[in-house]
């Protein structure tokens, strides 16, 4: 795991600029720092390294290919790189290997096979930049599911890219005009999805894609269209053409065991200490069980606990660890420990990010880093196997809608909205508003967008709000339940869950790996009939059956609490003064970014306890806290 940064253009003294960017990303790669420049072309590359595979100088980056034509910087891991080496050797296209790093392997693959074939052959998580010295072309690439970040854009006529925005802070011409589209999406979803970033001149390369820039693109300061080598949508389409079937449920469990165990074992390659996050839930317990099965010694597992039993799952994790025989470490944290993280969040996440489970994620990453350099997580199980409770709630609401004749849905939606306006704040009003939303939705995707939105109308709070189209706008091909899972895999998973884990872990110089998001596991899950995911009113049916092979069901069959903290209560208690200062009406009006009145009203209602506006307020608070640390142009563009 590492950090990458690059500049292509006429700027002088690129070494100093790249060096400054590397220092600001030191946490992503504390083991070494590298620089390479093609002075004739005006391109400079920088890399900070967290050494995982081949700890010797043979793994140092930027790395030049054996033929001398290509230069590569890579953030991430290519798990099947030894298989790729074997294939290259069988084709007599392998160079004389200098070491055993995955960077050297994939660089040789690019030289032998080209971009598309190499990307399609690689199994891993990555963001990469490849410079072709002969053609003077720069290719940027991102992994299939979006585990590793990559920002890119133009600054004063120069093309720039980096793993984190802060690496570009010192580049002349790096604009700081806020993107109202990004902020509108932040208020709706509590994260900023690709291809947007907080700044209007910088975007994110989308998962499963690559683009190649030439000198003409640089001269025009225009990005070429990205090309896809894999996508969630295409994987789903292909899966529908070849659905899986099994002679028995036991055979289905066998098949999942094989594909997931292969992914877990593949992600255990490391030349440094490795462990796993273990919450005691289904997903992390499956990953830990398969790790322990593949290991000849006790696997290190980590969990954190809270004194509040409503949020604590540490005792369940401890029981699972004891049964599996892992070497388990747990840390109980107080509210004060968690609150101490809050001042660090804005700088850590580089742009406003408002999933409050970032707090316990930071804590568990910091704890794990004291013992290991790599940790596997169980993320992805809910999106692949139908685990979120919101899927079931949304389905119930959708079923109510379908029972209403189509010609009556519009008038009933208007009547419900009008009725809600006359009702006092409370659950009853919320239910009537939800009814109006589901009746008024044009299709299932738009309904689910509203169902998972926080500020359902961002213009209520954001001055100059501008909502762009997202995957939610496209009419669904699947029935609602499967469409919700697919939408989450396209949006919530890469832009919330994986961002949360990457920034929290890398801030502690910890590499995280997500076996559930091996694309072969994803494609397997997409090929499963829904009945293998949802059965007897519960999600993750097949994943549960697999876990029961390793852990008694009484240890893991319980309601899911989620990896959360009591933000709503904190905003009425220990975070009250902090929040009040950030949401001061005079400050809001002076910044010119938000409408003060609706935000202050929600703050006051939250303080009185008449409504829980914690998640709505958190996105505003995270933006305000981020503004404190960043000199930006908040004027309406």
């Amino acid at each position: 795991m590492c950090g990458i940064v690059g500049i292509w253009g006429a700027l002088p003294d690129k070494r100093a600029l790249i060096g400054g960017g590397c220092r600001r990303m030191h946490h992503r790669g504390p083991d070494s720092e590298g620089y390479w420049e093609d002075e004739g072309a005006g391109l400079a590359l920088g890399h900070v390294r967290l050494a995982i595979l081949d700890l010797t100088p043979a793994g140092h980056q930027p790395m030049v290919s054996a033929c001398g034509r290509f230069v590569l910087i890579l953030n991430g891991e290519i798990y099947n790189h030894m298989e790729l080496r074997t294939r290259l050797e069988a084709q007599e296209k392998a160079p004389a290997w200098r070491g055993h790093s995955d960077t050297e392997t994939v660089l040789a693959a690019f030289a032998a096979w080209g971009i598309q074939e190499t990307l399609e052959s690689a199994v891993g998580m990555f963001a990469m930049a490849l410079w072709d010295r002969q053609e003077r072309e720069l290719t940027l690439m991102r992994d299939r599911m979006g585990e590793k970040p990559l920002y890119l854009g133009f600054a004063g006529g120069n093309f720039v890219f980096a793993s984190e925005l802060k690496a570009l802070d010192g580049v002349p011409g790096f604009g700081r005009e806020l993107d109202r589209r990004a902020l509108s999406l932040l208020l709706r979803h509590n994260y900023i999805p690709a291809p947007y970033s907080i700044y209007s001149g910088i975007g994110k390369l989308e998962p499963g894609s690559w683009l190649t820039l030439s000198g003409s693109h640089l001269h025009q300061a225009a990005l070429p269209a990205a090309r896809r080598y894999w996508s969630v949508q295409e994987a789903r389409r292909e899966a529908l053409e070849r659905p899986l079937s099994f002679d028995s449920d036991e055979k289905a469990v066998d098949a999942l065991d094989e594909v997931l165990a292969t992914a877990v074992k593949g992600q255990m390659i490391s030349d440094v200490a490795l462990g796993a996050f273990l919450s005691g839930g289904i997903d992390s317990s499956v990953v830990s069980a398969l790790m322990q099965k593949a290991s000849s010694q006790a696997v290190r597992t980590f969990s954190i606990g809270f004194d509040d039993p409503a949020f604590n799952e540490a005792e369940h994790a401890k029981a699972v660890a004891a049964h599996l025989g892992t070497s388990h470490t747990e840390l109980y944290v107080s509210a004060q420990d968690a609150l101490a993280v809050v001042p660090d969040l804005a700088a850590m996440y580089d742009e406003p990010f408002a999933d409050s489970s970032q707090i316990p994620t930071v804590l568990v990453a910091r704890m794990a880093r004291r013992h290991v350099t790599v940790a596997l997580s169980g993320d992805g199980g809910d999106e692949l196997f139908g685990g979120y409770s919101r899927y079931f709630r949304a389905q119930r609401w959708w079923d109510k809608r379908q029972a209403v004749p189509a010609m009556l849905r519009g008038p009933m939606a208007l009547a419900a909205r009008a009725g809600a306006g006359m009702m006092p704040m409370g659950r009853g009003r919320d239910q009537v508003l939800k009814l109006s939303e589901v009746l008024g939705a044009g299709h299932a995707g738009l309904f689910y967008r509203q169902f998972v939105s926080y500020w359902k109308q961002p213009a209520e709070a954001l001055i100059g709000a501008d909502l762009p189209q997202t995957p939610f706008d496209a009419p669904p091909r699947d029935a609602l339940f499967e469409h919700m899972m697919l939408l989450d895999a396209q949006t919530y998973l890469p832009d919330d869950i994986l961002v949360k884990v990457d920034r929290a872990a890398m801030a502690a110089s910890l590499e995280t790996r997500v076996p559930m998001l091996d694309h072969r596991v994803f494609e397997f899950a997409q090929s499963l009939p829904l009945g293998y995911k949802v059965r007897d009113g519960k999600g993750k049916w097949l994943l549960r059956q697999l876990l029961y092979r390793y852990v008694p069901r009484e240890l893991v069959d319980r309601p899911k609490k989620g990896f959360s903290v009591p933000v709503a209560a904190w905003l009425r208690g220990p975070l009250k003064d902090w929040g009040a200062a950030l949401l001061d009406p005079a400050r809001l009006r002076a910044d010119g970014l938000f409408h003060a009145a609706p935000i202050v009203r929600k703050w006051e209602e939250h303080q009185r306890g008449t409504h829980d506006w914690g998640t709505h307020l958190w996105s505003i608070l995270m933006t305000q806290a981020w503004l404190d640390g960043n000199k930006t142009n908040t004027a309406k563009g």
Side-chain angles (χ1 to χ4, degrees):
M1 194 72 68
C2 309
I4 62 176
V5 58
I7 302 172
W8 189 12
L11 279 175
D13 199 12
K14 292 187 183 70
R15 179 179 287 274
L17 295 171
I18 293 289
C22 287
R23 285 190 293 276
R24 285 185 285 273
M25 291 194 300
H26 178 75
H27 50 279
R28 295 191 75 94
D31 295 328
S32 68
E33 179 181 318
Y35 178 81
W36 185 90
E37 184 174 356
D38 186 332
E39 294 185 6
L43 177 111
L45 303 174
H47 184 269
V48 290
R49 185 183 185 204
L50 178 63
I52 303 294
L53 296 175
D54 194 343
L55 310 186
T56 73
H60 185 74
Q61 298 183 51
M63 185 179 290
V64 180
S65 65
C67 63
R69 175 175 173 178
F70 300 100
V71 185
L72 179 69
I73 47 176
L74 182 155
N75 167 30
E77 303 290 348
I78 309 298
Y79 303 123
N80 69 331
H81 83 98
M82 294 306 294
E83 296 171 20
L84 299 183
R85 285 195 175 205
T86 300
R87 181 173 151 194
L88 286 164
E89 290 164 356
Q91 296 174 351
E92 298 184 349
K93 294 181 178 180
W97 302 113
R98 293 165 283 183
H100 65 273
S101 75
D102 55 340
T103 306
E104 185 181 6
T105 305
V106 75
L107 182 54
F110 283 131
W113 302 331
I115 304 296
Q116 184 81 18
E117 184 177 348
T118 300
L119 291 174
E120 291 175 349
S121 301
V123 177
M125 56 173 184
F126 52 81
M128 296 186 281
L130 180 73
W131 175 242
D132 184 336
R133 301 171 75 179
Q134 177 177 303
E135 298 296 328
R136 290 196 171 186
E137 291 180 339
L138 178 66
T139 300
L140 301 176
M141 300 153 275
R142 195 171 176 208
D143 65 69
R144 293 172 177 86
M145 297 300 297
E147 293 185 57
K148 293 294 99 188
L150 187 56
Y151 292 91
L152 72 171
F154 287 91
N158 299 279
F159 178 73
V160 296
F161 66 89
S163 298
E164 295 188 5
L165 282 172
K166 63 175 66 72
L168 304 175
D169 279 349
V171 177
F174 179 59
R176 293 183 174 278
E177 181 179 339
L178 300 186
D179 190 334
R180 303 276 165 159
R181 299 169 302 171
L183 283 167
S184 299
L185 292 168
L186 172 73
L187 293 190
R188 171 164 276 173
H189 298 298
N190 275 357
Y191 57 82
I192 297 174
Y196 304 98
S197 89
I198 187 61
Y199 297 127
S200 58
I202 299 292
K204 303 181 187 114
L205 187 62
E206 294 190 78
S209 66
W210 59 285
L211 59 80
T212 297
L213 293 97
S214 64
S216 62
H217 296 117
L218 182 66
H219 179 71
Q220 298 167 20
L223 285 176
R227 288 179 266 186
R228 293 276 186 182
Y229 66 94
W230 190 91
S231 73
V232 164
Q233 305 96 304
E234 186 63 17
R236 175 62 179 167
R237 186 192 65 76
E238 293 180 0
L240 291 174
E241 295 176 355
R242 44 173 176 72
L244 293 171
S245 61
F246 303 97
D247 295 335
S248 66
D249 286 347
E250 195 68 14
K251 292 288 182 63
V253 181
D254 289 341
L256 175 60
D257 198 343
E258 180 180 356
V259 69
L260 190 51
T262 298
V264 168
K265 186 174 182 179
Q267 296 194 18
M268 292 175 69
I269 60 168
S270 177
D271 292 336
V272 294
L274 174 145
F277 297 144
L278 177 59
S279 69
I282 301 295
D283 305 338
S284 65
S285 296
V286 166
V287 169
S288 297
L290 293 175
M291 287 181 70
Q292 190 56 69
K293 179 183 177 183
S295 178
S296 59
Q297 55 189 354
V299 169
R300 296 298 305 264
T301 54
F302 304 93
S303 66
I304 60 171
F306 297 94
D307 295 330
D308 186 342
F311 295 89
N312 184 45
E313 291 191 309
E315 68 272 19
H316 304 299
K318 185 176 182 179
V320 171
H323 181 82
L324 294 174
T326 68
S327 175
H328 190 60
T329 302
E330 62 180 6
L331 173 69
Y332 271 78
V333 297
S334 65
Q336 289 70 33
D337 295 325
L339 291 169
V341 171
V342 173
D344 300 333
L345 295 177
M348 191 180 298
Y349 281 83
D350 239 6
E351 56 184 344
F353 180 80
D355 181 341
S356 61
S357 64
Q358 60 198 133
I359 297 173
T361 305
V362 169
L363 292 169
V364 74
R366 288 176 177 175
M367 177 188 63
R369 186 61 180 93
R370 293 198 287 268
H371 305 274
V372 299
T373 309
V374 178
L376 275 64
S377 86
D379 291 312
D382 290 300
E383 293 83 359
L384 270 63
F385 295 96
Y388 288 126
S389 60
R390 64 172 176 265
Y391 295 154
F392 297 88
R393 296 196 306 273
Q395 185 67 61
R396 288 193 291 271
W397 279 104
W398 192 248
D399 290 343
K400 293 177 183 178
R401 175 196 190 267
Q402 297 301 85
V404 176
M407 67 179 64
L408 297 180
R409 290 170 190 163
M412 288 181 65
L414 292 173
R417 181 169 294 278
M422 296 183 288
M423 297 174 67
M425 297 293 296
R427 179 173 174 79
R429 181 177 184 272
D430 292 344
Q431 295 290 300
V432 174
L433 280 173
K434 186 72 72 178
L435 179 63
S436 73
E437 291 166 9
V438 68
L439 288 171
H443 57 70
L446 295 175
F447 160 65
Y448 188 54
R449 181 184 69 187
Q450 288 300 95
F451 195 88
V452 297
S453 291
Y454 295 96
W455 290 86
K456 299 184 187 300
Q457 300 297 331
E460 178 188 355
L462 177 64
I463 298 171
D466 179 12
L467 278 166
Q469 286 202 333
T470 67
F472 291 92
D473 290 283
R477 297 178 181 177
D478 292 310
L480 175 65
F481 202 101
E482 289 160 303
H483 188 57
M484 289 187 289
M485 295 164 59
L486 192 68
L487 282 172
D488 278 348
Q490 290 177 257
T491 59
Y492 178 68
L493 184 59
D495 295 315
D496 185 312
I497 300 298
L498 296 179
V499 169
K500 174 185 68 179
V501 175
D502 175 81
R503 306 306 190 276
M506 291 312 302
S509 302
L510 176 75
E511 174 173 298
T512 49
R513 301 175 177 177
V514 191
M516 295 275 190
L517 299 187
D518 182 305
H519 70 280
R520 297 165 299 184
V521 178
F522 182 87
E523 290 166 358
F524 172 86
Q526 294 308 307
S527 299
L528 286 174
L530 185 60
Y532 284 110
K533 303 171 189 176
V534 179
R535 194 177 294 188
D536 303 324
K538 289 184 178 180
K540 295 196 283 197
W541 182 84
L542 191 61
L543 207 55
R544 292 173 188 270
Q545 307 315 303
L546 175 57
L547 180 58
Y548 298 154
R549 290 185 171 184
Y550 301 98
V551 178
R553 65 176 63 207
E554 58 268 20
L555 290 185
V556 290
D557 269 359
R558 62 184 185 280
K560 184 176 180 178
K561 295 179 180 179
F563 204 43
S564 57
V565 289
V567 164
W570 288 352
L571 291 176
R572 298 186 184 104
L575 287 180
K576 181 177 179 179
D577 291 343
W578 171 78
L582 290 172
L583 302 183
D584 177 78
R587 170 181 171 160
L588 291 171
R589 285 191 288 269
D591 287 341
L593 189 60
F594 294 116
H595 297 293
I599 295 170
V600 172
R601 182 169 63 251
K602 280 183 168 53
W603 175 258
E604 292 174 347
E605 289 172 354
H606 189 81
Q607 295 305 315
R608 292 196 299 267
T610 57
H611 204 289
D612 179 359
W613 293 117
T615 52
H616 292 67
L617 293 167
W618 196 248
S619 61
I620 307 294
L621 289 165
M622 285 292 97
T623 302
Q624 293 293 95
W626 179 84
L627 287 172
D628 275 349
N630 292 270
K631 297 177 181 178
T632 59
N633 177 10
T634 59
K636 180 181 175 183

